[in-house]
Amino acid sequence: DLSEKDKLKMEVEQLRKEVKLERQPVSKCSEEIKNYIEERSGGDPLVKGVPEDKNPFKEKGGCVIA
């Protein structure tokens, strides 16, 4: 277990690291993320779907009860 002093030291170290990070406005970042997603959406199987012949999870066959 860490003492209260050790916990506070760790928190101060983390805050020192975070203060050095370069910050950007959300409006700029969200535009970049949107463009990135739109550029790659054509090859995304969650958007485009998976062809039946390449789908490893399709049912192999049915079951008939007579």
Side-chain angles (χ1 to χ4, degrees):
D1 277 321
L2 297 173
S3 69
E4 188 66 27
K5 183 178 177 181
D6 291 333
K7 289 178 186 176
L8 291 172
K9 279 184 181 180
M10 288 176 57
E11 186 175 350
V12 168
E13 287 175 23
Q14 182 63 34
L15 291 172
R16 284 186 178 147
K17 290 177 187 176
E18 290 179 15
V19 78
K20 293 176 186 176
L21 292 175
E22 181 182 342
R23 309 267 178 186
Q24 294 184 0
V26 172
S27 57
K28 181 182 178 204
C29 295
S30 61
E31 188 67 30
E32 291 175 5
I33 291 170
K34 184 183 119 200
N35 292 337
Y36 178 87
I37 291 170
E38 287 176 349
E39 288 171 6
R40 288 156 182 78
S41 66
D44 189 337
L46 294 176
V47 174
K48 186 174 137 179
V50 179
E52 282 296 319
D53 59 332
K54 296 186 179 186
N55 185 355
F57 300 106
K58 72 176 180 178
E59 290 189 30
K60 305 292 183 206
C63 177
V64 177
I65 299 176

